[in-house]
Amino acid sequence: GAVTLPWLVRSVHGPGSTRMLALLRNPADRLYAAFNFYQHYASRYGAGVEGFEKYIMEQIAAFQSCQVVHGRRSCALYFESLSPEFEDVFYHCDQLI
């Protein structure tokens, strides 16, 4: 089967010995904050709203391309590991879904 986070945690720490805490954040805010924080985004797409729009359009196109071949679930969970083409995209799939 697939390696999942719960499986990995149980493998490392043993069953029943760990607790997980999930922090939720508005995905659009997180994506915009990441775009503004990491300088490689501005250098690749341009700074400001125009650069952010280019960035988003590339993300959407890449996800749609992935879905055609691999399906939505696989792309959402494993996007960067599905092919070198997808690995090259600066990607934050969780913010798009």
Side-chain angles (χ1 to χ4, degrees):
V3 174
T4 62
L5 182 59
W7 179 86
L8 186 60
V9 170
R10 281 192 302 273
S11 296
V12 172
H13 298 286
S17 64
T18 60
R19 293 193 173 117
M20 297 179 81
L21 174 66
L23 300 175
L24 304 177
R25 193 172 161 193
N26 181 329
D29 291 343
R30 182 171 179 250
L31 185 62
Y32 190 68
F35 178 81
N36 287 307
F37 181 76
Y38 296 108
Q39 296 301 312
H40 62 271
Y41 292 129
S43 64
R44 180 171 178 170
Y45 301 101
V49 175
E50 294 83 15
F52 184 64
E53 184 176 340
K54 288 179 190 175
Y55 170 67
I56 294 299
M57 297 310 291
E58 181 178 278
Q59 304 305 299
I60 292 170
F63 187 75
Q64 289 173 339
S65 173
C66 182
Q67 283 187 101
V68 170
V69 177
H70 301 286
R72 179 177 289 171
R73 180 176 171 80
S74 290
C75 294
L77 296 173
Y78 310 113
F79 181 83
E80 290 137 336
S81 63
L82 292 174
S83 80
E85 171 192 356
F86 299 136
E87 186 179 4
D88 288 340
V89 176
F90 293 118
Y91 199 69
H92 292 281
C93 180
D94 54 327
Q95 283 85 8
L96 293 176
I97 299 174

